[in-house]
Amino acid sequence: MQNNISLKPDFSHEKKVGGIILGIDEVGRGCVAGPVVVAGVILNDNIDISHINDSKKLSATKREKIFNSLKDNCHYLIESSSVEEIEEINILQASLLAMRRVINNIEHKFDHVFVDGNISPDKSMNNISTIVGGDNKSLSIAAASIFAKVARDRLMDKLNEDYPEYLWKQNKGYCTK
């Protein structure tokens, strides 16, 4: 029996579709505090992809290092939905709203969008593919997962400075003891 599970994301999905791919992922849907953050990333051909992986599989130090090495060599946009938006329209709809913001506001042309998950942020667009577990399968989505995680972690670290009693630096808004 052949095992088709990839240990690391690659460009196989991107190659099947062709063209310029915008990878999108979100961070913060499982949190009990803070915004949901979405990143969209368009990787170019001349970057080092050897360290890109699902952000959950990387240490904070590695995520920062990869983010810093990629940010000047790709096109990206980071958007979010506020706590107020989450409370008004729910976390799923707030995530999809932030994804639409990325799609509508990124300043680089793209041919196709890959979104991590199973729900398209815009069903009227026929150039969006949802990929369940996409941050483990697509390099474009994996890079977006890194950008979103770094951005949200930095935001929660800043909130920790303003509200140290909540220990945001240690828990980033996730449930902890």
Side-chain angles (χ1 to χ4, degrees):
M1 181 176 202
Q2 186 179 16
N3 184 352
N4 290 327
I5 298 174
S6 175
L7 297 177
K8 282 187 73 175
D10 58 31
F11 276 130
S12 61
H13 285 81
E14 287 85 346
K15 287 178 182 173
K16 285 179 192 171
V17 172
I20 299 169
I21 305 296
L22 171 63
I24 294 181
D25 198 11
E26 56 73 27
V27 174
R29 273 185 60 190
C31 296
V32 294
V36 62
V37 175
V38 172
V41 176
I42 298 170
L43 298 172
N44 60 38
D45 295 335
N46 60 350
I47 61 162
D48 177 12
I49 59 169
S50 62
H51 301 295
I52 299 174
N53 205 343
D54 175 358
S55 64
K56 294 180 289 299
K57 295 180 179 179
L58 301 168
S59 69
T61 303
K62 283 187 180 177
R63 284 192 301 266
E64 281 281 345
K65 185 176 179 182
I66 294 166
F67 173 85
N68 288 326
S69 72
L70 289 179
K71 69 180 179 156
D72 295 327
N73 297 303
C74 70
H75 300 280
Y76 71 95
L77 181 63
I78 298 168
E79 293 281 358
S80 64
S81 286
S82 68
V83 172
E84 293 78 18
E85 288 172 316
I86 293 167
E87 290 175 351
E88 183 178 329
I89 61 176
N90 79 42
I91 188 67
L92 173 60
Q93 294 306 315
S95 298
L96 297 173
L97 174 62
M99 289 178 189
R100 287 190 300 275
R101 288 175 175 153
V102 167
I103 292 168
N104 294 328
N105 296 323
I106 194 160
E107 292 184 356
H108 192 275
K109 177 188 162 302
F110 58 87
D111 300 309
H112 202 86
V113 180
F114 285 173
V115 175
D116 183 38
N118 64 353
I119 301 173
S120 173
D122 189 338
K123 294 184 185 344
S124 71
M125 293 178 67
N126 62 2
N127 65 335
I128 297 178
S129 296
T130 58
I131 303 174
V132 175
D135 43 8
N136 286 302
K137 298 173 183 174
S138 160
L139 277 167
S140 300
I141 294 174
S145 79
I146 293 168
F147 277 65
K149 180 71 172 141
V150 167
R152 189 172 191 288
D153 283 357
R154 288 177 177 178
L155 198 155
M156 296 307 290
D157 288 345
K158 173 70 176 109
L159 283 174
N160 188 73
E161 293 173 15
D162 298 334
Y163 305 98
E165 65 273 18
Y166 293 108
L167 304 174
W168 298 132
K169 197 166 185 80
Q170 285 91 344
N171 63 50
K172 306 294 190 234
Y174 290 91
C175 292
T176 61
K177 287 185 181 182

